[in-house]
Amino acid sequence: MGKTVIIGGVAGGASCAARLRRLDENAEIVLLERGEYVSYANCGLPYHVGDVIKSRDRLLVQTPEAMRKKYRVDVRVKNEAVSIDRAEKTVSVKNLATGELYRESYDTLVLSTGSSPLRPPIPGIDSPRIKTLWTVPDTDDIRALVRGGGVRKAAVIGGGFIGLEMAENLRHAGLEVSVIEMLDQVMAPLDYEMAQMLHENIAQNGVTLHLGDGVSSFADDGRSVTVTLKSGKTVEADLVILSIGVRPNGELAKGAGLAVNQRGGVVVDETLRTSDPDIFAVGDVIEVVDFVSGGPAMIPLAGPANKQGRIAADNIAGGRETYKGTQGTSVAKVFDLTAASTGANEKTLLNRGYKRGVEYESLIITQNSHASYYPGAAPMTLKLLFSTDGQKLYGAQIVGKDGVDKRIDTLSTVMRLGGGIDALKELELAYAPPYSSAKDPVNMAGYTAENVLRGVVRFCSWDAVENTPGAVLLDVREDAEVTTFALPGAKHIPLGALRDRMAELDKDSRIITFCTIGVRSYNAARILMQSGFSDVWLYPAGTRFYRSTHYGEYGVTRIGAAPVSDSGHAVDPAGPVPCIRLDCSGMQCPCPIMKVFEAVKEMKAGELLEVSTSDPGFVRDIDAWCRRTGNTLAAACRCENGYIATIKKGDGAASPP
């Protein structure tokens, strides 16, 4: 194997070094890192800023000293590779502590130089109050500012993974937070309608969103920064976090004459060799193959970087391992929700020229994280994109509270192994009430996709209400549910009465069926389709999803935090004690609202009802129900196991549904 020099000691570089040592105890391995740290948990940095991860040491996966002792790797931190001489097979290195320049020979070279956060030439961007979060020292700097007490307002520029994680953690630290995003949505891997659920919850948690509005300039007056947006709006902040994307650190490779793409990403073959067979490259700096399309892509993720480091090590040691592409599987915590995706989204398919109904189909369903009768079940909304022959999965997205990660991992695995809709139906997945349902959400996605392909059900688009004038909106929820939210202009016929009242509907009209999450409306659609109605469509995931995708039209109910007793109940020492407590955790519609309705009927004016739930959407629903029925939502707060709403009977003027 000879001597291997690895440039870059985080993720791919550290993984490569450790694997090389395991394969060859006698190999000479030199690891050059221009920073102070190697193998640190950069994905955990935002959580240390917010004090969720309290110990700084827990971010350091391996120290230079530990790598030297455990793996006998010559680790040199604060040593920056400045150029490569391919003919001589040497690297020019600068010792940043002493300023010394020296040359290091290699037999095999590995580039793991990563990427760097973008800082575009925006006027005022050099203000010391404008920070990026990319390294451990960045974290130390921002954490010191936040905990020093002089920062009250923060502006996060960019709504990607790091931007949203920073927004959440800055809010957790007690700051007023604004998120500014040039696109019309956060979290670009999601489609717009799925991102709307994040927008709603971000707003519920008190963060101000500025979407579809880029930054024009920054102005630092010595006390704070004024962020001027392209729309002319201004945002005042004591601290600004830049999180607007990354660029590959490909300058070293380009200077050495290696093949790079237009963005500066290093071009590699399937074995991760560059255009020079003695030089490998891994991680954020390389151009990868998009697993779905087969085309080139830049997808900077920690999981692929670590896998690539291992593959490169195997090949350096004489193996023949190949990297078969990146799916872009990712997950992020965004306040109360978890957002995850794998493969292509619908925007990407459309940009590639795919036509819905010709090359692909899509569906959106809502399922509980586990059996609804077991406490703590929470809904998740799943979007699936698949070929019209059912043989290929193009991508999936999930937004929910619990169980999102294992479902996206299952879908990602099926995609990686070449499975289609039949595979989703046939998967035998572990079931017990605390963990799943007998029909797991992934199975349900397969069953629903089969129904779509067979013509058993037709989903309309999330914006069909405004884009299908003249359609009959058929709401099959119960009367009490309609008090939480009524679709404008909808025809209301509860599912149980539909067969008897079918004559009220025109068989020649387009009908779009709704319920709360889409199950009863599917049953309604089947009744109509088998009764001579030929133009019946199902609204995806019901009125819950409709309200989230249109949350800006209906307002946002803030979710607060309140002290909670050991028994799980809200505590207000100065306030009255609720006369009734309802546990609606995991209940499916229409049970929670019906239970509240029945309980309030038996209460006296002024008495309190406390309702606990695992569904974040219930807080919004109960707020609307109170306003429509003349009752008062006294409090809506988050607790360890979900949410608690306290309802006071009366004192509110009822508004019509």
Side-chain angles (χ1 to χ4, degrees):
M1 186 189 304
K3 179 180 179 181
T4 299
V5 174
I6 301 170
I7 302 174
V10 183
S15 176
C16 183
R19 176 66 172 172
L20 270 175
R21 176 55 69 219
R22 295 188 189 102
L23 295 175
D24 188 341
E25 178 62 19
N26 298 313
E28 184 178 358
I29 305 169
V30 177
L31 181 62
L32 304 173
E33 169 55 49
R34 66 182 178 183
E36 298 178 56
Y37 304 93
V38 296
S39 193
Y40 60 85
N42 49 0
C43 294
L45 300 182
Y47 299 98
H48 185 50
V49 171
D51 209 35
V52 176
I53 298 174
K54 297 184 182 297
S55 172
R56 181 180 185 274
D57 290 343
R58 300 196 67 174
L59 299 172
L60 307 177
V61 181
Q62 289 283 356
T63 64
E65 295 75 17
M67 282 204 75
R68 292 186 189 106
K69 290 180 180 178
K70 292 180 181 179
Y71 300 105
R72 204 162 54 81
V73 173
D74 182 359
V75 180
R76 304 176 194 173
V77 294
K78 295 187 178 180
N79 276 252
E80 180 178 10
V82 294
S83 66
I84 300 167
D85 187 329
R86 291 166 53 198
E88 296 293 326
K89 299 188 75 169
T90 61
V91 180
S92 293
V93 185
K94 182 177 183 179
N95 185 321
L96 299 179
T98 66
E100 173 198 1
L101 282 170
Y102 65 94
R103 295 167 72 85
E104 190 71 35
S105 65
Y106 66 85
D107 295 305
T108 305
L109 184 65
V110 180
L111 303 180
S112 181
T113 48
S115 57
S116 297
L118 290 171
R119 289 185 74 97
I122 299 172
I125 200 169
D126 294 328
S127 163
R129 299 177 189 274
I130 300 174
K131 308 288 185 181
T132 57
L133 180 69
W134 204 245
T135 65
V136 174
D138 292 341
T139 309
D140 295 339
D141 187 18
I142 296 170
R143 181 179 162 91
L145 286 171
V146 170
R147 296 178 69 81
V151 176
R152 295 182 303 107
K153 296 180 179 181
V156 177
I157 316 299
F161 290 95
I162 295 175
L164 294 184
E165 288 166 353
M166 279 302 299
E168 178 179 352
N169 280 280
L170 292 171
R171 188 81 182 108
H172 185 266
L175 275 61
E176 295 178 37
V177 180
S178 298
V179 173
I180 299 163
E181 170 56 57
M182 183 172 61
L183 300 177
D184 61 357
Q185 66 168 84
V186 301
M187 201 67 75
L190 300 183
D191 285 313
Y192 177 80
E193 69 272 22
M194 299 293 285
Q196 283 283 72
M197 290 186 285
L198 300 184
H199 299 162
E200 179 185 40
N201 193 251
I202 290 167
Q204 285 178 322
N205 280 276
V207 172
T208 302
L209 278 171
H210 299 272
L211 299 173
D213 207 352
V215 175
S216 176
S217 66
F218 300 101
D220 186 340
D221 65 2
R223 299 183 303 276
S224 64
V225 176
T226 300
V227 186
T228 301
L229 308 184
K230 291 184 177 178
S231 65
K233 295 178 183 177
T234 59
V235 176
E236 299 295 325
D238 305 307
L239 170 67
V240 176
I241 304 293
L242 278 183
S243 180
I244 55 179
V246 299
R247 60 170 180 80
N249 294 329
E251 298 86 352
L252 195 63
K254 185 177 180 181
L258 298 175
V260 297
N261 63 19
Q262 288 186 336
R263 294 180 58 186
V266 180
V267 177
V268 295
D269 66 12
E270 62 181 3
T271 67
L272 301 174
R273 281 182 170 86
T274 68
S275 52
D276 184 325
D278 293 323
I279 302 178
F280 291 76
V282 300
D284 289 6
V285 75
I286 70 169
E287 176 184 272
V288 296
V289 172
D290 183 299
F291 182 79
V292 176
S293 71
M298 299 293 296
I299 306 176
L301 290 170
N306 278 276
K307 293 177 180 67
Q308 291 156 14
R310 178 187 174 92
I311 290 170
D314 282 3
N315 292 334
I316 292 167
R320 174 65 186 176
E321 295 293 320
T322 60
Y323 185 70
K324 297 179 176 65
T326 301
Q327 282 173 246
T329 305
S330 59
V331 64
K333 180 181 180 298
V334 184
F335 290 97
D336 302 274
L337 299 175
T338 297
S341 66
T342 188
N345 57 29
E346 192 164 11
K347 291 174 294 190
T348 300
L349 294 181
L350 292 171
N351 287 336
R352 290 175 184 161
Y354 287 40
K355 292 183 175 62
R356 183 173 177 178
V358 179
E359 285 92 1
Y360 80 94
E361 285 286 2
S362 73
L363 61 85
I364 298 175
I365 59 173
T366 293
Q367 294 286 303
N368 270 346
S369 56
H370 60 245
S372 59
Y373 55 82
Y374 188 88
M380 66 177 72
T381 300
L382 184 156
K383 180 171 183 176
L384 185 68
L385 299 158
F386 49 98
S387 62
T388 50
D389 63 3
Q391 298 301 304
K392 185 172 183 177
L393 305 182
Y394 291 125
Q397 303 157 48
I398 310 178
V399 175
K401 194 168 184 292
D402 297 317
V404 170
D405 53 341
K406 75 173 184 176
R407 273 54 184 234
I408 206 69
D409 285 343
T410 304
L411 290 162
S412 173
T413 302
V414 172
M415 284 182 63
R416 176 63 68 163
L417 298 178
I421 297 306
D422 285 346
L424 299 185
K425 291 161 41 190
E426 295 164 3
L427 283 174
E428 184 177 333
L429 301 169
Y431 161 60
Y435 305 107
S436 185
S437 300
K439 294 177 182 177
D440 187 86
V442 173
N443 295 134
M444 291 303 298
Y447 297 143
T448 306
E450 178 184 51
N451 286 339
V452 170
L453 296 178
R454 289 183 177 180
V456 173
V457 65
R458 290 182 294 187
F459 283 96
C460 66
S461 63
W462 67 273
D463 55 356
V465 172
E466 53 267 36
N467 291 329
T468 318
V472 176
L473 310 180
L474 178 61
D475 188 339
V476 299
R477 295 175 298 160
E478 299 300 316
D479 292 344
E481 292 176 279
V482 176
T483 60
T484 67
F485 171 73
L487 280 160
K491 174 75 173 177
H492 177 223
I493 304 178
L495 178 63
L498 181 58
R499 291 181 178 88
D500 295 331
R501 295 176 57 184
M502 208 178 298
E504 298 176 27
L505 301 171
D506 181 359
K507 288 189 175 182
D508 295 325
S509 295
R510 171 163 294 190
I511 297 175
I512 301 175
T513 61
F514 286 82
C515 67
T516 299
I517 63 170
V519 177
R520 287 169 292 165
S521 51
Y522 166 58
N523 290 328
R526 291 303 302 150
I527 292 170
L528 295 175
M529 291 172 75
Q530 296 177 85
S531 301
F533 291 80
S534 60
D535 197 8
V536 181
W537 297 78
L538 175 64
Y539 189 85
T543 56
R544 284 285 183 89
F545 190 59
Y546 178 88
R547 287 190 69 188
S548 290
T549 57
H550 296 74
Y551 78 97
E553 302 172 26
Y554 300 103
V556 170
T557 303
R558 288 280 294 273
I559 300 173
V564 176
S565 71
D566 292 338
S567 63
H569 301 302
V571 177
D572 182 358
V577 176
C579 65
I580 302 175
R581 289 188 170 105
L582 291 178
D583 184 359
C584 294
S585 296
M587 287 186 178
Q588 292 183 321
C589 56
C591 289
I593 288 297
M594 298 297 290
K595 281 189 169 289
V596 170
F597 177 74
E598 294 297 328
V600 170
K601 276 201 309 185
E602 303 300 319
M603 291 164 53
K604 297 176 183 178
E607 289 185 328
L608 298 179
L609 168 68
E610 183 184 284
V611 186
S612 56
T613 178
S614 52
D615 179 6
F618 179 77
V619 173
R620 176 192 59 201
D621 288 348
I622 201 64
D623 185 17
W625 184 87
C626 288
R627 285 187 277 107
R628 296 249 170 89
T629 57
N631 297 295
T632 304
L633 180 62
C637 50
R638 187 183 296 100
C639 64
E640 183 177 356
N641 297 317
Y643 307 88
I644 292 176
T646 305
I647 300 154
K648 180 180 180 182
K649 181 166 181 175
D651 287 354
S655 59

